[in-house]
Amino acid sequence: MTGRAGMPQSVLRFRAALQDMIVEAAPTLFITLAFNRKTSAAVGARFLQLFDARMASATLGRFWVERVSERPKYIAVIENAKTNLHLHLAVTCTPQQSAIIAEMTEPAWAKLVPAGTVDVQAVYDEAGLGSYMSKQYSADHQDHLLLSRSCT
């Protein structure tokens, strides 16, 4: 069964579920982390874990490891895995954490991925963000959906 523009219903359902998840999370920040070099989805996921640790440390301080429920939460997707892999993150956090994350993202990512670039934006339209982040998501790309530890 196909839907809009010949898109299989299963893909439309996956995308709608991701959009709903993002809207429900009520993210405050939208972050794009680019590698600007050839890399794999597995490596991208590992670098996201490293970035998440830096984000938690910056926002929560010394005992961030023990404060899982207070960490910023994210829903991330890997996009363009075969050509120009980059990560899109919908980050849910407090206003104070949001300001810290906006300030620390570029230098933290540069230490992890010297050739990498970042873009950090405030979220004003969760539904629009959900639509944007789900545009390449399908059952074939389930491994391209990554959730922070505090989301699981």
Side-chain angles (χ1 to χ4, degrees):
M1 184 84 175
T2 59
R4 180 180 75 211
M7 187 77 58
Q9 287 294 322
S10 61
V11 171
L12 295 176
R13 282 194 300 274
F14 268 87
R15 290 181 183 177
L18 178 56
Q19 290 171 18
D20 290 347
M21 189 184 332
I22 291 169
V23 169
E24 186 176 315
T28 51
L29 292 174
F30 172 54
I31 301 175
T32 300
L33 302 172
F35 290 85
N36 298 325
R37 62 180 165 90
K38 189 163 180 61
T39 193
S40 68
V43 170
R46 178 64 185 134
F47 273 97
L48 178 57
Q49 290 175 331
L50 296 171
F51 176 77
D52 180 39
R54 283 163 174 73
M55 189 167 52
S57 175
T59 57
L60 297 175
R62 186 172 164 189
F63 297 105
W64 65 269
V65 171
E66 300 164 8
R67 299 168 65 188
V68 175
S69 66
E70 298 172 61
R71 289 184 188 181
K73 296 166 182 49
Y74 65 79
I75 298 167
V77 294
I78 296 172
E79 206 169 84
N80 297 336
K82 293 182 180 170
T83 55
N84 179 31
L85 188 141
H86 56 279
L87 305 163
H88 289 308
L89 289 72
V91 181
T92 303
C93 57
T94 67
Q96 296 84 1
Q97 290 174 329
S98 186
I100 292 167
I101 294 166
E103 188 73 26
M104 61 74 60
T105 297
E106 188 168 355
W109 191 245
K111 282 185 180 175
L112 291 170
V113 184
T117 54
V118 304
D119 182 47
V120 180
Q121 299 177 32
V123 175
Y124 299 103
D125 177 9
E126 292 94 350
L129 177 59
S131 178
Y132 181 77
M133 286 182 62
S134 67
K135 68 185 182 287
Q136 292 185 13
Y137 189 62
S138 70
D140 297 339
H141 296 102
Q142 290 180 47
D143 60 331
H144 293 185
L145 175 64
L146 308 167
L147 304 173
S148 59
R149 275 189 50 198
S150 51
C151 281
T152 57

